[in-house]
Amino acid sequence: MNERLFARLAERLAVAPAVLASVIATRGATPRKTGARMLVSALGTDFTIGGGLAEARVIAAATTLLGATTRSASVAIDLTGGADAAGVCGGRMEIALRRWDMDDRPRAAAIAAALTAGEPFELGGDDVGDGRGAVRIEPDARLVIVGGGHCGLALYEMARLLDLELWVYDARPEFANATNFPDATTLSGTLDALRAALDTRRDLYIVLLNRDFASDVATLRVIAGHRCAFLGMMGSARRIRQVLDALSPEQSQQLSQLQAPVGVPIGAQTPHEIAVSVLAHLIQARAQASHAGVRA
């Protein structure tokens, strides 16, 4: 989310000031958690800190800040259901507001450039408008889709809606090309080409949607030993057993995090249903890692 948000902020600042709204603390049940952000400018809003009346109050405060002499403010959101509460979720949120003026554009562009390059960035308290907002922000995770057939294409189409940097590999050039995957980096040819997708500081999510058993085995041999935040493989129980049996004991140990069959079991059958299942699995894994305090 931060990667797209700061790129958008730099764009907005070419035209007019914008307010960065950041969730800096939460307690109890809330629609978004610490680190969620949105932008408010005369051009409208981008992204969200939860929607509903709570977000409406944040937008109103941010709009006021756009015309104020001060550059920062805060909003306390009560969701406990009282007379003046913004909802009945049961929790509370603290939102920091910081107006970015047009002369702040170089700073926004520098943050965006670092994240786009796959580098983390130390966001200062002044960037957010509150010392508690100082935090290291990470670039989007990289999703590598191995296999550009029907399921790979469906997964790509739906993953474009999420905060992911997309790569697609297929040995067949006609199944990994910019025409089919215009917003992804595409790779084809021998599996040596796949190594370029694995060389990143971003969190790495890999999903194998290969056309055959031999391709799964060969792909996993390349991936073995690489750091992955998530590794999943599609296939029947029988195919998965055969793939794992074809690996060496060392490779099997290096691939112990393999999720197979990949996807939340929702009875998916069509390519797009399978894509929903796989992305739900990725989102679940990311949330569990975040809750455990692990980068993912």
Side-chain angles (χ1 to χ4, degrees):
M1 176 269 294
N2 285 305
E3 187 169 333
R4 296 186 187 187
L5 182 143
F6 280 97
R8 184 67 54 81
L9 176 59
E11 293 174 1
R12 290 284 185 256
L13 294 179
V15 179
V19 171
L20 172 66
S22 303
V23 179
I24 58 171
T26 66
R27 186 177 67 191
T30 58
R32 297 294 302 275
K33 300 302 179 183
T34 301
R37 308 184 200 281
M38 71 177 296
L39 300 175
V40 180
S41 73
L43 302 175
T45 64
D46 298 281
F47 308 94
T48 178
I49 53 86
L53 181 56
E55 185 163 295
R57 291 182 179 179
V58 171
I59 293 171
T63 302
T64 299
L65 187 61
L66 284 171
T69 56
T70 56
R71 289 165 59 94
S72 61
S74 63
V75 181
I77 301 296
D78 180 357
L79 298 167
T80 60
D84 194 41
V88 296
C89 297
R92 297 179 184 272
M93 304 172 71
E94 293 181 51
I95 317 295
L97 305 179
R98 202 279 207 184
R99 188 183 72 245
W100 288 60
D101 295 318
M102 296 172 73
D103 59 5
D104 290 318
R105 192 184 184 204
R107 174 67 172 177
I111 298 171
L115 295 173
T116 300
E119 301 290 336
F121 196 93
E122 295 293 336
L123 204 62
D126 182 60
D127 293 320
V128 175
D130 188 292
R132 290 169 293 175
V135 67
R136 174 187 169 104
I137 57 175
E138 301 289 340
D140 291 342
R142 175 176 294 179
L143 171 59
V144 181
I145 302 170
V146 182
H150 295 305
C151 290
L153 181 58
L155 181 58
Y156 159 79
E157 290 173 347
M158 303 198 73
R160 291 172 73 185
L161 303 175
L162 305 182
D163 294 315
L164 295 166
E165 187 204 43
L166 301 175
W167 289 56
V168 178
Y169 168 80
D170 196 297
R172 304 161 292 177
E174 66 272 22
F175 282 86
N177 57 71
T179 300
N180 291 344
F181 304 96
D183 292 328
T185 300
T186 54
L187 303 169
S188 61
T190 68
L191 276 164
D192 283 339
L194 179 60
R195 299 182 192 279
L198 308 181
D199 183 17
T200 181
R201 291 184 62 182
R202 297 174 184 267
D203 282 341
L204 188 59
Y205 300 162
I206 307 175
V207 176
L208 276 61
L209 302 172
N210 280 312
R211 58 178 173 164
D212 56 42
F213 151 84
S215 296
D216 282 338
V217 174
T219 303
L220 289 175
R221 285 173 175 162
V222 170
I223 294 171
H226 283 82
R227 174 191 58 83
C228 296
F230 182 89
L231 174 61
M233 182 175 70
M234 184 175 68
S236 66
R238 183 174 185 271
R239 173 169 164 171
I240 291 166
R241 284 196 304 271
Q242 290 182 325
V243 169
L244 296 179
D245 287 345
L247 300 173
S248 70
E250 181 182 4
Q251 290 166 340
S252 295
Q253 185 176 9
Q254 291 173 330
L255 297 166
S256 60
Q257 80 274 37
L258 177 66
Q259 302 291 315
V262 67
V264 173
I266 57 173
Q269 296 188 42
T270 69
H272 284 88
E273 288 175 351
I274 291 169
V276 170
S277 171
V278 171
L279 289 174
H281 200 166
L282 293 180
I283 293 168
Q284 181 185 61
R286 182 175 61 186
Q288 289 173 344
S290 177
H291 181 71
V294 178
R295 179 187 167 195

